[in-house]
Amino acid sequence: MMLTLISGLSGSGKSIALRSLEDLGFFCVDNLPPELLLELTAWHRQQKTGARLAVSIDSRSQVGFEGFPALLQQLRLNGVNTKVLFLESRDEILLKRFSETRRSHPLASGSETLSEAMLAERDMLYPLKDNAFVIDTSDLSAPDLRRRIHEWLGILSDSFVLTFESFGFKYGVPLDVDYIFDVRCLPNPYYDPSLRDQTGYDAAVCDFFAAAPEVAAMSDDIAAFLQRWLPCAANNMRSYLTVGIGCTGGMHRSVYIAKTLAERFQAAYPVLLRHRQLPHLSQRW
């Protein structure tokens, strides 16, 4: 069982860190009082909700953390592989973030300034930091922070999924796509009565497209664009990217091109192939 404890200063990126672990398949709990950790890990084992558990513990519970080293030792004696991540930032960065979000500090009161609350929080959380891997997020973007966390845990995310989705423009443009390529300029088998009721999966339609050099050229051009820019998306810690291929009715050209592209990229990425107008033909590699 792997337990990852996330703590740190308010405004340092704990929510981003917890969501990052959730995307990796961790069972995540936010703002847990440390006294409940032993009970939670025991419950987690009984429920068999997965081997990975992530818990955020910080000053919102407003309790002392002097006993945290002993608690950490007890978890490890119980056979829980426990790692602690502590996030911090420079004071001027934290002040700027609180100013931008207009959120109140969990230790702030009517008689304390934000700076005083930040100083009190540092003192409160010191026992956690002393047993943790520390990341200063002052100059990190959210993707950079996620990447640092993955590297620290030794977990390489293989969750990036590339989806190709064919659709018909006459039914409307899908809203859940990142790139859209319009293939309505290609020869249309709809105007051949013998092909009209077939789809981009049928042999006769595939032969029709194979005989049209512009179809292969379109597929090559889209593939070249994606080969150039997909690594940027994957390296930016995205978990998926959807490519829409549209023709008029979503039956022939877009289906054929989407299927061709999915076959080309399935060796490099987990690929999902969807056909909005032909959902029964959707598949995943």
Side-chain angles (χ1 to χ4, degrees):
M1 178 178 176
M2 174 188 286
L3 170 62
T4 300
L5 298 176
I6 299 174
S7 189
L9 305 178
S10 301
S12 62
K14 299 187 301 296
S15 296
I16 293 173
L18 198 63
R19 287 196 297 268
S20 175
L21 296 186
E22 189 172 32
D23 290 342
L24 288 174
F26 281 69
F27 184 89
C28 295
V29 179
D30 188 25
N31 192 22
L32 184 77
E35 295 86 354
L36 299 180
L37 259 177
L38 293 176
E39 184 178 346
L40 174 64
T41 54
W43 173 87
H44 185 70
R45 278 178 164 160
Q46 292 174 355
Q47 297 298 315
K48 298 180 180 179
T49 51
R52 297 173 175 176
L53 173 65
V55 178
S56 174
I57 295 177
D58 53 53
S59 62
R60 287 174 293 174
S61 60
Q62 299 196 16
V63 298
F65 293 95
E66 295 80 6
F68 180 77
L71 176 60
L72 191 61
Q73 180 66 19
Q74 185 60 53
L75 286 167
R76 289 168 176 164
L77 289 174
N78 292 349
V80 180
N81 179 15
T82 306
K83 294 186 175 182
V84 185
L85 175 66
F86 190 93
L87 304 180
E88 64 177 356
S89 293
R90 299 191 300 272
D91 285 350
E92 65 269 20
I93 298 297
L94 294 175
L95 287 169
K96 179 181 178 182
R97 291 172 181 172
F98 272 103
S99 176
E100 290 172 346
T101 62
R102 300 294 182 180
R103 297 193 65 186
S104 61
H105 193 282
L107 299 185
S109 65
S111 60
E112 286 185 328
T113 66
L114 177 57
S115 296
E116 290 171 340
M118 290 164 49
L119 180 60
E121 184 178 49
R122 287 187 185 275
D123 292 338
M124 173 187 290
L125 298 179
Y126 180 80
L128 298 177
K129 180 180 178 182
D130 197 40
N131 293 274
F133 178 80
V134 180
I135 297 179
D136 188 328
T137 68
S138 300
D139 302 311
L140 296 181
S141 65
D144 290 336
L145 176 56
R146 288 193 289 267
R147 187 179 300 108
R148 289 284 302 276
I149 293 171
H150 290 194
E151 292 171 351
W152 168 62
L153 290 173
I155 299 174
L156 299 178
S157 175
D158 57 357
S159 60
F160 181 81
V161 176
L162 176 60
T163 299
F164 292 97
E165 180 173 340
S166 70
F167 68 94
F169 275 101
K170 72 177 183 179
Y171 300 107
V173 177
L175 300 179
D176 56 346
V177 296
D178 300 291
Y179 296 123
I180 290 181
F181 295 95
D182 185 349
V183 299
R184 286 177 291 184
C185 60
L186 299 178
N188 193 353
Y190 177 86
Y191 296 107
D192 184 334
S194 66
L195 302 178
R196 179 172 300 174
D197 295 328
Q198 299 187 47
T199 74
Y201 275 79
D202 292 302
V205 174
C206 292
D207 291 341
F208 174 89
F209 287 133
E214 57 265 55
V215 174
M218 174 70 80
S219 180
D220 289 343
D221 286 346
I222 296 174
F225 174 86
L226 294 176
Q227 286 167 348
R228 172 66 180 86
W229 293 108
L230 280 179
C232 294
N235 292 336
N236 204 36
M237 304 305 291
R238 293 192 57 157
S239 41
Y240 63 89
L241 186 139
T242 303
V243 179
I245 310 293
C247 64
T248 303
M251 299 286 290
H252 303 101
R253 294 166 291 182
S254 62
V255 171
Y256 178 84
I257 294 291
K259 177 171 68 73
T260 299
L261 291 169
E263 292 169 349
R264 292 179 70 160
F265 282 90
Q266 57 93 18
Y269 301 96
V271 169
L272 177 63
L273 177 61
R274 291 200 300 246
H275 302 294
R276 184 158 291 223
Q277 269 55 71
L278 300 169
H280 63 286
L281 294 177
S282 300
Q283 60 189 113
R284 180 168 187 161
W285 281 273

